[in-house]
Amino acid sequence: PEDENEPEMPGIETPETPDEEEPGDQEEPDNPDNPDDPNNPGENPDTPESDSKILVAYFSWGGTTQRMAQEIASQTGADLFRIEPTVPYPTDYTECTEVALAERDNDARPAIADNVENWEQYDVIFIGSPVWWHTAPMIIATFAESYDFSGKTVVPFCTYSATYRDETLARIVELTPDAEHLTGEGLTSGRINEQNISSWLKEIGLIE
Ligand SMILES: Cc1cc2nc3c(=O)[nH]c(=O)nc-3n(C[C@H](O)[C@H](O)[C@H](O)COP(=O)(O)O)c2cc1C
């Protein structure tokens, strides 16, 4: 019944080809102890404020959430982890919406292909996804239930085409009850840019 609401068949963006960049390939600053050293030019000016180690974990079907994840990682110096399903989702949009709806309705936990290495080292974990059928894709539940979040800080983010941004951010919080949380951000594709992301990251104190 509630599903008579089709997902607002988003003005289909041409799925972006995900970059082949290896997650976690972020270069270490040459001088991590003094990132603002003027003799050490070429640093990202938005160097993270603290020494906390940050991970940006995300699921992305069409590449939009990946774009947001990459921008967050580049501004915070975080490692990236792409949440990939063991069984890939259909590349056809309509077929993908059908699989996604069935997973949601069955409270499925689709398997994830890979594991985060050295989970213990991370203090702050961004978790991001598209909005799928008014909420986070079920693979985000698989991810959240696969790791110990006690002592961690989780920052939710999402991308969406029209609706259910807040519900999706709230769902990610709900899925990580053992973590502390910082205010999340949800953006539509056209609003993913350096400035929008840096003002959010400044607001929550993760960059200066
Ligand atoms: C299965 C499916 C369900 C979706 N449901 C919604 C929805 O309920 N609300 C919404 O605003 N957008 C919805 N969308 C659009 C996506 O959230 C949006 O295009 C998102 O930015 C895609 O991110 P991605 O490219 O990282 O996969 C849906 C898309 C798909 C594929």
Side-chain angles (χ1 to χ4, degrees), residues 3-138:
D3 296 329
E4 275 152 29
N5 286 334
E6 290 285 2
E8 351 283 313
M9 285 306 217
I12 301 183
E13 295 168 43
T14 324
E16 296 155 43
T17 320
D19 279 347
E20 284 309 318
E21 230 174 277
E22 273 295 298
D25 228 12
Q26 244 26 60
E27 272 179 50
E28 283 293 318
D30 295 334
N31 185 356
D33 291 334
N34 189 2
D36 292 323
D37 184 346
N39 299 321
N40 188 9
E43 291 288 346
N44 181 341
D46 292 326
T47 314
E49 239 188 358
S50 69
D51 292 335
S52 44
K53 180 91 175 150
I54 306 176
L55 179 70
V56 178
Y58 68 97
F59 168 72
S60 181
W61 178 76
T64 302
T65 311
Q66 173 162 277
R67 211 153 31 87
M68 185 163 174
Q70 285 168 335
E71 185 58 39
I72 296 167
S74 97
Q75 293 193 30
T76 58
D79 293 339
L80 278 165
F81 177 76
R82 183 171 190 158
I83 300 169
E84 294 258 30
T86 306
V87 179
Y89 288 98
T91 50
D92 175 76
Y93 180 81
T94 306
E95 284 172 32
C96 182
T97 61
E98 288 162 5
V99 172
L101 183 59
E103 284 185 353
R104 195 199 67 175
D105 289 352
N106 297 321
D107 197 24
R109 292 293 184 273
I112 296 173
D114 215 352
N115 289 311
V116 174
E117 277 172 44
N118 301 318
W119 176 255
E120 327 70 56
Q121 72 182 316
Y122 296 108
D123 306 299
V124 176
I125 297 123
F126 286 81
I127 301 179
S129 76
V131 175
W132 270 15
W133 288 103
H134 307 172
T135 188
M138 302 314 290

Side-chain angles (χ1 to χ4, degrees), residues 138-169:
M138 302 314 290
I139 198 167
I140 296 297
T142 312
F143 179 80
E145 290 163 7
S146 301
Y147 297 92
D148 180 5
F149 282 91
S150 50
K152 312 283 191 196
T153 298
V154 164
V155 193
F157 68 100
C158 69
T159 71
Y160 65 110
S161 65
T163 53
Y164 293 89
R165 167 197 188 275
D166 294 352
E167 290 82 353
T168 300
L169 297 175

